[in-house]
Amino acid sequence: MDYDITISGGGIAGLTAAAAFAQAGFSTLVVDPAPPVTDRDADGSDLRSTAFLQPAQGFLADIGLWARLADHATPLQTMRIVDAGGPEPEPRVTKDFDSGDISDKPFGWNLPNWLLRREMAAQLGDLAGVDFRPGTATTALFTREGEARVSLSDGSRVTTRLVIAADGRNSPMRQAAGIGVRTTRFGQKALAFAVTHPIPHNNVSTEIHRTGGPFTLVPLPDHDGMPSSAVVWMDDGPKSTQRMRLTEDAFEAEMSERACHVLGPLKLASRRTIWPIIAQEAEHLTGQRLALVAEAAHVVPPIGAQGLNMSLKDMATLRDLAVASPVSLGDAAMLDAYARARHADIRARVAGISALNRISQMSSQPLRDMRAKGLDALYAMAPVRRSLMKLGLGAGD
């Protein structure tokens, strides 16, 4: 057997999985067709950011990654929800969900994706038992009861006890295993970029609802001496595509208005990138000697920092099962246990986040008024408010 575990996909999810299993003592191969882009201004760098919620941060600490990431992380102390769905783009309902109501820690910590890839790839270089091959893709999968054989784009073939598909929403390993997906398309695209602004964010993540989808400002470290935030701007696909073509001055004027000037005039601090918004679930989480994780298993709209945090639950569950019974790594009983442990949570969160996204898309004024009243009512009920915050962190799963 060449490796205990072969991970298809070297994005944030795949690199995290590699660190987790190598730290647990399993020989691990991780491959990805593209080398990680680890410079903010390089072509192809991922300008989105990831908010690691409390349970995810705990997992990263457990596998030795957090010590490398902590100095780069911006704490998210408060989640601010703004409804700006009136006739004019201005706040009419603003509610702050403070993590101090339920914990002595922040809700989470935000880091740029390009930096995560840089630090995670460096961490793998310090770990024994990891073979990281950027620029190499998985091309075929053959499984039998006792092992899997994975063909690679460099012409080699490896044998392994478990294949982890962390290779994205169009996962080659999922397709090779013949596992289908259920996909919901919302007709939206998200613009992702970084901005600077004159008003400090004070570690507040702000989600502004108007129509078409939320405009979210997530705190980042200062950039060029100015407060900075990562932005995800969701809207109908044609509108987002049109905004990609705007001049920088026109784009800054439009995004500042859409942000209701809550942090003052916004200035672009990066190039713009655009992403389609879908929800997706794999029909099965496992195949013979194969486990699906992250976007190979589930995709959700970027609301409430749920996407990668769901993914880290996948990995923590797999890691715990592997550590509890190393001799069972990759066998049918272990994979069945993984599917049972993750199925209900994934199904509930994909459905819940999809519903929230539909609400955020509301365009008719009466429905937008209902959304504002609903936010007011939920916030007014303190026990409900605290329960929602705990649910968002994954408490009770």
PDB file of all heavy atoms in Angstrom, residues 7-42:
ATOM      1  N   ILE A   7      -5.765  12.304  -0.854  1.00  0.00           N
ATOM      2  CA  ILE A   7      -6.717  13.419  -0.873  1.00  0.00           C
ATOM      3  C   ILE A   7      -6.674  14.064  -2.246  1.00  0.00           C
ATOM      4  O   ILE A   7      -5.628  14.525  -2.702  1.00  0.00           O
ATOM      5  CB  ILE A   7      -6.379  14.461   0.211  1.00  0.00           C
ATOM      6  CG1 ILE A   7      -6.443  13.811   1.594  1.00  0.00           C
ATOM      7  CG2 ILE A   7      -7.329  15.659   0.134  1.00  0.00           C
ATOM      8  CD1 ILE A   7      -5.865  14.673   2.708  1.00  0.00           C
ATOM      9  N   SER A   8      -7.800  14.071  -2.913  1.00  0.00           N
ATOM     10  CA  SER A   8      -7.932  14.737  -4.208  1.00  0.00           C
ATOM     11  C   SER A   8      -8.420  16.156  -3.953  1.00  0.00           C
ATOM     12  O   SER A   8      -9.545  16.360  -3.498  1.00  0.00           O
ATOM     13  CB  SER A   8      -8.934  13.983  -5.091  1.00  0.00           C
ATOM     14  OG  SER A   8      -9.137  14.656  -6.319  1.00  0.00           O
ATOM     15  N   GLY A   9      -7.549  17.140  -4.213  1.00  0.00           N
ATOM     16  CA  GLY A   9      -7.921  18.538  -3.988  1.00  0.00           C
ATOM     17  C   GLY A   9      -7.005  19.194  -2.975  1.00  0.00           C
ATOM     18  O   GLY A   9      -6.926  18.762  -1.819  1.00  0.00           O
ATOM     19  N   GLY A  10      -6.325  20.262  -3.410  1.00  0.00           N
ATOM     20  CA  GLY A  10      -5.403  20.968  -2.527  1.00  0.00           C
ATOM     21  C   GLY A  10      -5.835  22.386  -2.243  1.00  0.00           C
ATOM     22  O   GLY A  10      -5.000  23.270  -2.067  1.00  0.00           O
ATOM     23  N   GLY A  11      -7.152  22.615  -2.195  1.00  0.00           N
ATOM     24  CA  GLY A  11      -7.658  23.888  -1.716  1.00  0.00           C
ATOM     25  C   GLY A  11      -7.602  23.929  -0.201  1.00  0.00           C
ATOM     26  O   GLY A  11      -6.945  23.103   0.445  1.00  0.00           O
ATOM     27  N   ILE A  12      -8.311  24.872   0.378  1.00  0.00           N
ATOM     28  CA  ILE A  12      -8.279  25.012   1.838  1.00  0.00           C
ATOM     29  C   ILE A  12      -8.779  23.743   2.517  1.00  0.00           C
ATOM     30  O   ILE A  12      -8.196  23.269   3.497  1.00  0.00           O
ATOM     31  CB  ILE A  12      -9.091  26.239   2.268  1.00  0.00           C
ATOM     32  CG1 ILE A  12      -8.421  27.514   1.747  1.00  0.00           C
ATOM     33  CG2 ILE A  12      -9.228  26.309   3.791  1.00  0.00           C
ATOM     34  CD1 ILE A  12      -9.255  28.751   1.901  1.00  0.00           C
ATOM     35  N   ALA A  13      -9.840  23.158   1.977  1.00  0.00           N
ATOM     36  CA  ALA A  13     -10.381  21.934   2.578  1.00  0.00           C
ATOM     37  C   ALA A  13      -9.382  20.788   2.484  1.00  0.00           C
ATOM     38  O   ALA A  13      -9.126  20.078   3.464  1.00  0.00           O
ATOM     39  CB  ALA A  13     -11.699  21.564   1.900  1.00  0.00           C
ATOM     40  N   GLY A  14      -8.806  20.587   1.299  1.00  0.00           N
ATOM     41  CA  GLY A  14      -7.870  19.483   1.128  1.00  0.00           C
ATOM     42  C   GLY A  14      -6.608  19.642   1.945  1.00  0.00           C
ATOM     43  O   GLY A  14      -6.101  18.667   2.527  1.00  0.00           O
ATOM     44  N   LEU A  15      -6.082  20.867   2.011  1.00  0.00           N
ATOM     45  CA  LEU A  15      -4.880  21.105   2.815  1.00  0.00           C
ATOM     46  C   LEU A  15      -5.153  20.885   4.298  1.00  0.00           C
ATOM     47  O   LEU A  15      -4.309  20.353   5.030  1.00  0.00           O
ATOM     48  CB  LEU A  15      -4.358  22.518   2.567  1.00  0.00           C
ATOM     49  CG  LEU A  15      -3.876  22.831   1.147  1.00  0.00           C
ATOM     50  CD1 LEU A  15      -3.462  24.298   1.038  1.00  0.00           C
ATOM     51  CD2 LEU A  15      -2.730  21.917   0.735  1.00  0.00           C
ATOM     52  N   THR A  16      -6.345  21.293   4.756  1.00  0.00           N
ATOM     53  CA  THR A  16      -6.713  21.063   6.153  1.00  0.00           C
ATOM     54  C   THR A  16      -6.816  19.572   6.438  1.00  0.00           C
ATOM     55  O   THR A  16      -6.337  19.081   7.469  1.00  0.00           O
ATOM     56  CB  THR A  16      -8.039  21.755   6.493  1.00  0.00           C
ATOM     57  OG1 THR A  16      -7.932  23.149   6.200  1.00  0.00           O
ATOM     58  CG2 THR A  16      -8.390  21.576   7.955  1.00  0.00           C
ATOM     59  N   ALA A  17      -7.452  18.837   5.531  1.00  0.00           N
ATOM     60  CA  ALA A  17      -7.581  17.387   5.714  1.00  0.00           C
ATOM     61  C   ALA A  17      -6.206  16.732   5.765  1.00  0.00           C
ATOM     62  O   ALA A  17      -5.953  15.841   6.595  1.00  0.00           O
ATOM     63  CB  ALA A  17      -8.424  16.791   4.586  1.00  0.00           C
ATOM     64  N   ALA A  18      -5.304  17.165   4.896  1.00  0.00           N
ATOM     65  CA  ALA A  18      -3.955  16.586   4.898  1.00  0.00           C
ATOM     66  C   ALA A  18      -3.255  16.819   6.226  1.00  0.00           C
ATOM     67  O   ALA A  18      -2.623  15.912   6.790  1.00  0.00           O
ATOM     68  CB  ALA A  18      -3.140  17.181   3.748  1.00  0.00           C
ATOM     69  N   ALA A  19      -3.368  18.040   6.753  1.00  0.00           N
ATOM     70  CA  ALA A  19      -2.756  18.336   8.051  1.00  0.00           C
ATOM     71  C   ALA A  19      -3.374  17.497   9.153  1.00  0.00           C
ATOM     72  O   ALA A  19      -2.672  16.986  10.041  1.00  0.00           O
ATOM     73  CB  ALA A  19      -2.902  19.823   8.363  1.00  0.00           C
ATOM     74  N   ALA A  20      -4.701  17.326   9.103  1.00  0.00           N
ATOM     75  CA  ALA A  20      -5.392  16.574  10.157  1.00  0.00           C
ATOM     76  C   ALA A  20      -4.961  15.111  10.179  1.00  0.00           C
ATOM     77  O   ALA A  20      -4.651  14.552  11.247  1.00  0.00           O
ATOM     78  CB  ALA A  20      -6.903  16.670   9.951  1.00  0.00           C
ATOM     79  N   PHE A  21      -4.899  14.481   9.023  1.00  0.00           N
ATOM     80  CA  PHE A  21      -4.588  13.051   9.003  1.00  0.00           C
ATOM     81  C   PHE A  21      -3.099  12.792   9.182  1.00  0.00           C
ATOM     82  O   PHE A  21      -2.708  11.805   9.816  1.00  0.00           O
ATOM     83  CB  PHE A  21      -5.127  12.420   7.720  1.00  0.00           C
ATOM     84  CG  PHE A  21      -6.607  12.187   7.770  1.00  0.00           C
ATOM     85  CD1 PHE A  21      -7.483  13.109   7.228  1.00  0.00           C
ATOM     86  CD2 PHE A  21      -7.129  11.080   8.403  1.00  0.00           C
ATOM     87  CE1 PHE A  21      -8.856  12.917   7.295  1.00  0.00           C
ATOM     88  CE2 PHE A  21      -8.499  10.865   8.483  1.00  0.00           C
ATOM     89  CZ  PHE A  21      -9.361  11.802   7.930  1.00  0.00           C
ATOM     90  N   ALA A  22      -2.269  13.671   8.661  1.00  0.00           N
ATOM     91  CA  ALA A  22      -0.839  13.499   8.899  1.00  0.00           C
ATOM     92  C   ALA A  22      -0.504  13.684  10.368  1.00  0.00           C
ATOM     93  O   ALA A  22       0.302  12.935  10.941  1.00  0.00           O
ATOM     94  CB  ALA A  22      -0.053  14.487   8.045  1.00  0.00           C
ATOM     95  N   GLN A  23      -1.136  14.676  10.996  1.00  0.00           N
ATOM     96  CA  GLN A  23      -0.902  14.906  12.424  1.00  0.00           C
ATOM     97  C   GLN A  23      -1.356  13.705  13.248  1.00  0.00           C
ATOM     98  O   GLN A  23      -0.801  13.414  14.310  1.00  0.00           O
ATOM     99  CB  GLN A  23      -1.640  16.180  12.857  1.00  0.00           C
ATOM    100  CG  GLN A  23      -1.352  16.673  14.263  1.00  0.00           C
ATOM    101  CD  GLN A  23      -2.346  16.134  15.285  1.00  0.00           C
ATOM    102  OE1 GLN A  23      -3.362  15.544  14.923  1.00  0.00           O
ATOM    103  NE2 GLN A  23      -2.037  16.321  16.549  1.00  0.00           N
ATOM    104  N   ALA A  24      -2.370  12.972  12.741  1.00  0.00           N
ATOM    105  CA  ALA A  24      -2.862  11.788  13.444  1.00  0.00           C
ATOM    106  C   ALA A  24      -2.038  10.542  13.135  1.00  0.00           C
ATOM    107  O   ALA A  24      -2.338   9.458  13.651  1.00  0.00           O
ATOM    108  CB  ALA A  24      -4.324  11.540  13.081  1.00  0.00           C
ATOM    109  N   GLY A  25      -1.002  10.681  12.284  1.00  0.00           N
ATOM    110  CA  GLY A  25      -0.098   9.564  12.059  1.00  0.00           C
ATOM    111  C   GLY A  25      -0.352   8.742  10.814  1.00  0.00           C
ATOM    112  O   GLY A  25       0.277   7.698  10.623  1.00  0.00           O
ATOM    113  N   PHE A  26      -1.231   9.195   9.928  1.00  0.00           N
ATOM    114  CA  PHE A  26      -1.536   8.456   8.702  1.00  0.00           C
ATOM    115  C   PHE A  26      -0.678   8.992   7.548  1.00  0.00           C
ATOM    116  O   PHE A  26      -0.557  10.213   7.368  1.00  0.00           O
ATOM    117  CB  PHE A  26      -3.018   8.594   8.348  1.00  0.00           C
ATOM    118  CG  PHE A  26      -3.947   7.979   9.353  1.00  0.00           C
ATOM    119  CD1 PHE A  26      -4.538   8.767  10.343  1.00  0.00           C
ATOM    120  CD2 PHE A  26      -4.215   6.618   9.329  1.00  0.00           C
ATOM    121  CE1 PHE A  26      -5.394   8.203  11.281  1.00  0.00           C
ATOM    122  CE2 PHE A  26      -5.072   6.049  10.266  1.00  0.00           C
ATOM    123  CZ  PHE A  26      -5.660   6.839  11.247  1.00  0.00           C
ATOM    124  N   SER A  27      -0.099   8.085   6.781  1.00  0.00           N
ATOM    125  CA  SER A  27       0.646   8.518   5.595  1.00  0.00           C
ATOM    126  C   SER A  27      -0.349   9.070   4.583  1.00  0.00           C
ATOM    127  O   SER A  27      -1.355   8.438   4.272  1.00  0.00           O
ATOM    128  CB  SER A  27       1.449   7.359   5.007  1.00  0.00           C
ATOM    129  OG  SER A  27       0.594   6.303   4.589  1.00  0.00           O
ATOM    130  N   THR A  28      -0.065  10.267   4.070  1.00  0.00           N
ATOM    131  CA  THR A  28      -1.070  11.019   3.324  1.00  0.00           C
ATOM    132  C   THR A  28      -0.476  11.615   2.063  1.00  0.00           C
ATOM    133  O   THR A  28       0.560  12.276   2.098  1.00  0.00           O
ATOM    134  CB  THR A  28      -1.634  12.162   4.202  1.00  0.00           C
ATOM    135  OG1 THR A  28      -2.158  11.613   5.417  1.00  0.00           O
ATOM    136  CG2 THR A  28      -2.753  12.905   3.479  1.00  0.00           C
ATOM    137  N   LEU A  29      -1.156  11.382   0.940  1.00  0.00           N
ATOM    138  CA  LEU A  29      -0.847  12.033  -0.327  1.00  0.00           C
ATOM    139  C   LEU A  29      -1.954  13.042  -0.622  1.00  0.00           C
ATOM    140  O   LEU A  29      -3.139  12.720  -0.514  1.00  0.00           O
ATOM    141  CB  LEU A  29      -0.788  11.006  -1.458  1.00  0.00           C
ATOM    142  CG  LEU A  29      -0.730  11.566  -2.889  1.00  0.00           C
ATOM    143  CD1 LEU A  29       0.592  12.286  -3.135  1.00  0.00           C
ATOM    144  CD2 LEU A  29      -0.947  10.447  -3.913  1.00  0.00           C
ATOM    145  N   VAL A  30      -1.580  14.269  -0.985  1.00  0.00           N
ATOM    146  CA  VAL A  30      -2.569  15.268  -1.402  1.00  0.00           C
ATOM    147  C   VAL A  30      -2.125  15.844  -2.741  1.00  0.00           C
ATOM    148  O   VAL A  30      -0.977  16.229  -2.920  1.00  0.00           O
ATOM    149  CB  VAL A  30      -2.781  16.376  -0.337  1.00  0.00           C
ATOM    150  CG1 VAL A  30      -1.481  17.064   0.028  1.00  0.00           C
ATOM    151  CG2 VAL A  30      -3.811  17.389  -0.795  1.00  0.00           C
ATOM    152  N   VAL A  31      -3.050  15.845  -3.703  1.00  0.00           N
ATOM    153  CA  VAL A  31      -2.742  16.325  -5.052  1.00  0.00           C
ATOM    154  C   VAL A  31      -3.766  17.373  -5.456  1.00  0.00           C
ATOM    155  O   VAL A  31      -4.908  17.376  -4.987  1.00  0.00           O
ATOM    156  CB  VAL A  31      -2.744  15.171  -6.083  1.00  0.00           C
ATOM    157  CG1 VAL A  31      -1.674  14.139  -5.742  1.00  0.00           C
ATOM    158  CG2 VAL A  31      -4.115  14.514  -6.181  1.00  0.00           C
ATOM    159  N   ASP A  32      -3.324  18.268  -6.331  1.00  0.00           N
ATOM    160  CA  ASP A  32      -4.222  19.288  -6.878  1.00  0.00           C
ATOM    161  C   ASP A  32      -3.692  19.689  -8.246  1.00  0.00           C
ATOM    162  O   ASP A  32      -2.476  19.813  -8.423  1.00  0.00           O
ATOM    163  CB  ASP A  32      -4.276  20.513  -5.968  1.00  0.00           C
ATOM    164  CG  ASP A  32      -5.413  21.458  -6.359  1.00  0.00           C
ATOM    165  OD1 ASP A  32      -6.528  21.274  -5.838  1.00  0.00           O
ATOM    166  OD2 ASP A  32      -5.185  22.357  -7.187  1.00  0.00           O
ATOM    167  N   PRO A  33      -4.589  19.871  -9.220  1.00  0.00           N
ATOM    168  CA  PRO A  33      -4.097  20.184 -10.565  1.00  0.00           C
ATOM    169  C   PRO A  33      -3.374  21.513 -10.682  1.00  0.00           C
ATOM    170  O   PRO A  33      -2.578  21.710 -11.598  1.00  0.00           O
ATOM    171  CB  PRO A  33      -5.364  20.161 -11.424  1.00  0.00           C
ATOM    172  CG  PRO A  33      -6.506  20.296 -10.462  1.00  0.00           C
ATOM    173  CD  PRO A  33      -6.042  19.674  -9.197  1.00  0.00           C
ATOM    174  N   ALA A  34      -3.649  22.451  -9.779  1.00  0.00           N
ATOM    175  CA  ALA A  34      -3.020  23.774  -9.859  1.00  0.00           C
ATOM    176  C   ALA A  34      -2.199  24.036  -8.600  1.00  0.00           C
ATOM    177  O   ALA A  34      -2.664  23.790  -7.491  1.00  0.00           O
ATOM    178  CB  ALA A  34      -4.080  24.853 -10.011  1.00  0.00           C
ATOM    179  N   PRO A  35      -0.991  24.547  -8.739  1.00  0.00           N
ATOM    180  CA  PRO A  35      -0.235  24.952  -7.542  1.00  0.00           C
ATOM    181  C   PRO A  35      -0.990  26.037  -6.792  1.00  0.00           C
ATOM    182  O   PRO A  35      -1.674  26.866  -7.413  1.00  0.00           O
ATOM    183  CB  PRO A  35       1.080  25.497  -8.121  1.00  0.00           C
ATOM    184  CG  PRO A  35       1.184  24.911  -9.481  1.00  0.00           C
ATOM    185  CD  PRO A  35      -0.228  24.755  -9.974  1.00  0.00           C
ATOM    186  N   PRO A  36      -0.917  26.058  -5.460  1.00  0.00           N
ATOM    187  CA  PRO A  36      -1.638  27.082  -4.701  1.00  0.00           C
ATOM    188  C   PRO A  36      -1.088  28.471  -4.982  1.00  0.00           C
ATOM    189  O   PRO A  36       0.133  28.664  -5.021  1.00  0.00           O
ATOM    190  CB  PRO A  36      -1.412  26.676  -3.242  1.00  0.00           C
ATOM    191  CG  PRO A  36      -0.192  25.813  -3.256  1.00  0.00           C
ATOM    192  CD  PRO A  36      -0.176  25.135  -4.585  1.00  0.00           C
ATOM    193  N   VAL A  37      -1.987  29.425  -5.221  1.00  0.00           N
ATOM    194  CA  VAL A  37      -1.587  30.818  -5.424  1.00  0.00           C
ATOM    195  C   VAL A  37      -1.542  31.471  -4.058  1.00  0.00           C
ATOM    196  O   VAL A  37      -2.568  31.610  -3.387  1.00  0.00           O
ATOM    197  CB  VAL A  37      -2.563  31.553  -6.358  1.00  0.00           C
ATOM    198  CG1 VAL A  37      -2.124  33.005  -6.559  1.00  0.00           C
ATOM    199  CG2 VAL A  37      -2.657  30.835  -7.704  1.00  0.00           C
ATOM    200  N   THR A  38      -0.361  31.861  -3.627  1.00  0.00           N
ATOM    201  CA  THR A  38      -0.164  32.265  -2.231  1.00  0.00           C
ATOM    202  C   THR A  38       0.247  33.721  -2.085  1.00  0.00           C
ATOM    203  O   THR A  38       0.745  34.125  -1.045  1.00  0.00           O
ATOM    204  CB  THR A  38       0.905  31.369  -1.578  1.00  0.00           C
ATOM    205  OG1 THR A  38       2.115  31.459  -2.332  1.00  0.00           O
ATOM    206  CG2 THR A  38       0.443  29.917  -1.546  1.00  0.00           C
ATOM    207  N   ASP A  39       0.005  34.517  -3.122  1.00  0.00           N
ATOM    208  CA  ASP A  39       0.294  35.945  -3.070  1.00  0.00           C
ATOM    209  C   ASP A  39      -0.968  36.718  -3.406  1.00  0.00           C
ATOM    210  O   ASP A  39      -1.639  36.417  -4.397  1.00  0.00           O
ATOM    211  CB  ASP A  39       1.416  36.292  -4.053  1.00  0.00           C
ATOM    212  CG  ASP A  39       1.794  37.770  -3.963  1.00  0.00           C
ATOM    213  OD1 ASP A  39       2.657  38.113  -3.131  1.00  0.00           O
ATOM    214  OD2 ASP A  39       1.207  38.574  -4.709  1.00  0.00           O
ATOM    215  N   ARG A  40      -1.281  37.707  -2.589  1.00  0.00           N
ATOM    216  CA  ARG A  40      -2.542  38.444  -2.709  1.00  0.00           C
ATOM    217  C   ARG A  40      -2.760  39.031  -4.099  1.00  0.00           C
ATOM    218  O   ARG A  40      -3.878  39.006  -4.633  1.00  0.00           O
ATOM    219  CB  ARG A  40      -2.561  39.560  -1.659  1.00  0.00           C
ATOM    220  CG  ARG A  40      -3.812  40.401  -1.617  1.00  0.00           C
ATOM    221  CD  ARG A  40      -3.631  41.504  -0.571  1.00  0.00           C
ATOM    222  NE  ARG A  40      -4.838  42.269  -0.377  1.00  0.00           N
ATOM    223  CZ  ARG A  40      -5.213  43.287  -1.154  1.00  0.00           C
ATOM    224  NH1 ARG A  40      -4.470  43.618  -2.197  1.00  0.00           N
ATOM    225  NH2 ARG A  40      -6.324  43.951  -0.895  1.00  0.00           N
ATOM    226  N   ASP A  41      -1.715  39.555  -4.709  1.00  0.00           N
ATOM    227  CA  ASP A  41      -1.856  40.291  -5.962  1.00  0.00           C
ATOM    228  C   ASP A  41      -1.525  39.464  -7.196  1.00  0.00           C
ATOM    229  O   ASP A  41      -1.527  39.992  -8.316  1.00  0.00           O
ATOM    230  CB  ASP A  41      -0.969  41.539  -5.929  1.00  0.00           C
ATOM    231  CG  ASP A  41      -1.380  42.498  -4.805  1.00  0.00           C
ATOM    232  OD1 ASP A  41      -2.595  42.680  -4.608  1.00  0.00           O
ATOM    233  OD2 ASP A  41      -0.481  43.036  -4.128  1.00  0.00           O
ATOM    234  N   ALA A  42      -1.271  38.179  -7.014  1.00  0.00           N
ATOM    235  CA  ALA A  42      -0.934  37.332  -8.153  1.00  0.00           C
ATOM    236  C   ALA A  42      -2.192  36.955  -8.931  1.00  0.00           C
ATOM    237  O   ALA A  42      -3.300  36.881  -8.373  1.00  0.00           O
ATOM    238  CB  ALA A  42      -0.223  36.067  -7.668  1.00  0.00           C
TER     239      ALA A  42
END
